[in-house]
Amino acid sequence: MRKRGLGPLTYGSVAQPWGRGAAAGGFVFLSGIDGVTDEQGRPVHGVAAQTRVTLDRVRALLADAGAGMDDIVQLDQYVADPAERMAYMRARDAWLSQHAPRLLDERSYASLLIFPGLATPAMRVEIRAVAYVG
């Protein structure tokens, strides 16, 4: 399979300046996904709420590309503030227990990085994902 772009990324009616990602060789590569705004463009405040919105978007984008959460082989997680790391992990694990319990049980996903230089000061979380669909 040749590489194919997954198209533009939009949150509600707002097109983002980067794309969704790409698919190639049985893999799906998602760009950095955030949860700064909801689908109507309203601000989402706090690391827990942004985590839920971000993971909902990751799941939807993977589905659009023919993959699911259980197909994830790498999950790069970026949190802006080390003080928010535990709140992020609690929100992530609660979301995964409901929507991707196998992935939560495997703990096969990758990095959790503290990265204060996320795209905007309002952004608390960003996630990039790689899934393998064969």
Side-chain angles (χ1 to χ4, degrees), residues 20-38:
R20 296 165 166 244
F27 287 92
V28 175
F29 301 88
L30 292 186
S31 297
I33 307 303
D34 69 81
V36 174
T37 61
D38 66 15

Side-chain angles (χ1 to χ4, degrees), residues 84-131:
E84 296 174 324
R85 184 173 69 91
M86 292 306 296
Y88 166 77
M89 290 190 305
R90 281 190 301 274
R92 177 204 60 203
D93 289 355
W95 190 96
L96 289 173
S97 70
Q98 184 176 2
H99 301 285
R102 194 170 106 204
L103 183 63
L104 179 63
D105 290 344
E106 285 177 3
R107 297 283 179 177
S108 59
Y109 41 87
S111 303
L112 171 58
L113 304 168
I114 304 302
F115 193 80
L118 293 177
T120 70
M123 188 182 294
R124 310 315 306 149
V125 173
E126 182 175 331
I127 294 176
R128 295 183 328 163
V130 177

Side-chain angles (χ1 to χ4, degrees), residues 1-7 21-29:
M1 168 204 274
R2 296 188 57 99
K3 181 182 92 169
R4 68 178 171 89
L6 299 176
F27 287 92
V28 175
F29 301 88

Side-chain angles (χ1 to χ4, degrees), residues 33-48:
I33 307 303
D34 69 81
V36 174
T37 61
D38 66 15
E39 296 311 313
Q40 290 73 43
R42 295 177 300 227
V44 176
H45 300 288
V47 69

